[in-house]
Amino acid sequence: MKDFIIIGNKAVTGGKISLNDLPGAAGRMDVLCRCVTASLFISFGMRRDVNVHLILKGGPEPHKIVRFNGETMRSLNPDERSSGSLIQKALLIPANETEKESTPGVFVRTGDLTVLLDEFKDKRPLYYLKEDGGDISDRVKSKDAADKFNDGVFILGDNQGVFEDDEAAIENAGASKISVGPVSLLSSQCITLILNAADRSEQNK
Amino acid sequence: MKDFIIIGNKAVTGGKISLNDLPGAAGRMDVLCRCVTASLFISFGMRRDVNVHLILKGGPEPHKIVRFNGETMRSLNPDERSSGSLIQKALLIPANETEKESTPGVFVRTGDLTVLLDEFKDKRPLYYLKEDGGDISDRVKSKDAADKFNDGVFILGDNQGVFEDDEAAIENAGASKISVGPVSLLSSQCITLILNAADRSEQNK
């Protein structure tokens, strides 16, 4: 099982978002849509052992967490508009702290990064994507390290990165900093590289 | 310099494509749009040493090649709709065998894979993405191999793969088969992995 947490610093939390303007009015929702595709899709199939948690912090409603669950996901295609449409539907139902399923495999609740960190802390290995982190290739060298990596919870920022308060919470939760190479990439590209490292380590077992 | 050639088997070649239906009426144009983003974008910038050649084979007009040139590209954002919009504009101008610039950094002409293979053959190293190819990590192990890889022309299919006639042309042109790992991935994800291997080899120089 792998979980990806992506922080959408400006992603809107309510109202009817326009699928024709995911980058603008929806607060760079396109970044989050690309992360959903990178996390869940392979050629001719879906990664059923992956959850994607999108943290929407852009208002006007309280912060929300939209979860895409690979195991039960239906009606999702790899294009941005497809995941955008499911996020749109999730934002239209009244949300509270209890998860509700808005469409098959998509869940919504109010909450932010601290909620997720409390749930995962001390139960699953936490990894924080950061340019100065250790290279992912070093995280899958031994069998034990690879087993841990393959059960990882991976936390990424969006195009604005991760702000100080979130970063402090991530560090307090004991996350290991990792990086994906010498060039700073889009969040969705980082997810592809993490999953490839995991796939390779599974093959080498 | 790196060039990516992506074969869009059903991607339409004319008419006004709808940005609201890139996967459907435009013939899985979303696949090609994601490949443009994967090829050209890094965090906070663009890969200026990359060209992307999209081969549109879906009709109704003759096959066309739309080229995105990283060096001179302007007005491109990472969302699918942005590259889709530039493809839309390219398809609206009359095309013949001579490249014309439709918007800054985007060029269009009639032609197909054989035209591109003739241009690159014996001048640049050709690589063909295929599940049974040699792993890309083996292509960047020595400095000579990495120098070659970093000047590569990489040929990929879309969601339908590469049909027999195109595959025969690729093999006749002497392309080396490469693969990106144990799991068959989206074309755009493969591009991310190729560029990461190249970035890492450049770092190790």
Side-chain angles (χ1 to χ4, degrees):
Chain A
M1 171 68 89
K2 283 169 210 72
D3 284 74
F4 289 95
I5 298 174
I6 304 106
I7 302 168
N9 290 295
K10 298 286 179 198
V12 298
T13 54
K16 186 161 166 54
I17 64 175
S18 165
L19 300 182
N20 297 344
D21 191 18
L22 293 170
R28 293 312 306 272
M29 199 68 83
D30 63 311
V31 175
L32 303 185
C33 294
R34 278 193 295 284
C35 287
V36 169
T37 297
S39 304
L40 293 181
F41 280 94
I42 57 175
S43 189
F44 310 112
M46 196 168 280
R47 295 187 185 267
R48 297 295 178 186
D49 62 339
V50 171
N51 268 292
V52 189
H53 311 258
L54 308 176
I55 302 177
L56 314 185
K57 297 179 67 178
E61 294 182 25
H63 296 178
K64 286 185 186 170
I65 303 169
V66 177
R67 177 165 71 97
F68 282 68
N69 174 25
E71 194 181 354
T72 58
M73 180 60 52
R74 288 216 311 273
S75 310
L76 178 67
N77 289 311
D79 59 300
E80 291 164 15
R81 207 178 163 88
S82 175
S83 45
S85 161
L86 298 185
I87 294 169
Q88 183 190 61
K89 285 172 184 151
L91 296 185
L92 287 175
I93 68 172
N96 58 35
E97 288 173 19
T98 306
E99 254 193 354
K100 283 178 210 147
E101 190 164 21
S102 48
T103 52
V106 183
F107 300 81
V108 61
R109 56 176 160 161
T110 56
D112 57 16
L113 181 63
T114 56
V115 170
L116 288 171
L117 290 174
D118 282 346
E119 289 171 2
F120 286 122
K121 191 179 159 182
D122 302 327
K123 293 191 190 98
R124 300 266 302 280
L126 301 177
Y127 299 94
Y128 171 37
L129 253 287
K130 186 82 186 169
E131 281 86 349
D132 64 353
D135 194 274
I136 48 171
S137 61
D138 296 327
R139 299 284 170 175
V140 290
K141 274 190 176 155
S142 73
K143 190 188 167 300
D144 283 356
D147 284 347
K148 199 176 148 191
F149 192 81
N150 280 302
D151 189 44
V153 177
F154 300 90
I155 306 159
L156 299 90
D158 63 1
N159 57 304
Q160 296 200 310
V162 176
F163 290 139
E164 266 182 30
D165 53 341
D166 280 336
E167 184 157 80
I170 294 167
E171 286 174 0
N172 282 338
S176 311
K177 281 201 270 188
I178 56 170
S179 71
V180 294
V183 176
S184 182
L185 298 175
L186 304 186
S187 311
S188 49
Q189 295 168 334
C190 295
I191 291 172
T192 295
L193 293 164
I194 289 168
L195 287 168
N196 184 253
D199 290 340
R200 288 170 178 272
S201 75
E202 291 279 354
Q203 183 191 37
N204 294 335
K205 265 188 182 171
Chain B
M1 170 68 86
K2 282 168 214 72
D3 285 75
F4 290 94
I5 299 173
I6 304 106
I7 303 168
N9 291 295
K10 298 286 181 198
V12 298
T13 54
K16 186 160 165 58
I17 65 175
S18 165
L19 300 182
N20 297 344
D21 190 19
L22 293 170
R28 293 309 307 271
M29 198 70 83
D30 64 311
V31 174
L32 302 184
C33 293
R34 278 193 295 283
C35 287
V36 170
T37 297
S39 304
L40 294 180
F41 280 94
I42 56 174
S43 188
F44 310 112
M46 197 168 279
R47 294 185 185 269
R48 297 295 177 186
D49 63 340
V50 171
N51 268 291
V52 189
H53 312 258
L54 308 176
I55 303 177
L56 314 185
K57 298 180 67 179
E61 295 182 24
H63 296 178
K64 287 185 185 171
I65 303 169
V66 178
R67 177 167 69 97
F68 283 69
N69 174 25
E71 192 179 355
T72 58
M73 180 60 52
R74 287 217 310 274
S75 310
L76 178 66
N77 290 311
D79 60 301
E80 290 164 17
R81 207 177 162 88
S82 174
S83 44
S85 159
L86 298 184
I87 295 168
Q88 183 190 61
K89 285 173 184 150
L91 296 185
L92 287 175
I93 68 172
N96 57 36
E97 288 174 17
T98 306
E99 253 194 355
K100 284 178 210 151
E101 189 164 22
S102 47
T103 51
V106 183
F107 301 81
V108 61
R109 57 176 159 160
T110 56
D112 57 16
L113 181 62
T114 56
V115 170
L116 290 171
L117 289 174
D118 281 346
E119 289 171 4
F120 286 122
K121 193 180 158 179
D122 302 327
K123 295 192 189 97
R124 300 266 300 280
L126 301 177
Y127 300 93
Y128 171 35
L129 254 286
K130 185 81 183 167
E131 281 86 348
D132 63 352
D135 195 274
I136 48 172
S137 61
D138 295 327
R139 298 284 170 176
V140 290
K141 273 189 177 157
S142 74
K143 189 187 168 302
D144 283 356
D147 284 348
K148 199 176 148 192
F149 192 81
N150 280 300
D151 190 42
V153 177
F154 301 90
I155 306 159
L156 299 89
D158 63 0
N159 58 304
Q160 298 202 307
V162 175
F163 290 139
E164 268 182 29
D165 54 339
D166 281 335
E167 184 156 81
I170 294 167
E171 285 174 2
N172 283 337
S176 311
K177 280 201 270 188
I178 56 170
S179 71
V180 295
V183 176
S184 182
L185 299 174
L186 304 186
S187 312
S188 49
Q189 295 168 334
C190 295
I191 291 172
T192 296
L193 293 164
I194 290 168
L195 287 167
N196 183 254
D199 291 340
R200 287 170 179 273
S201 76
E202 290 279 354
Q203 183 191 35
N204 293 336
K205 265 187 180 173

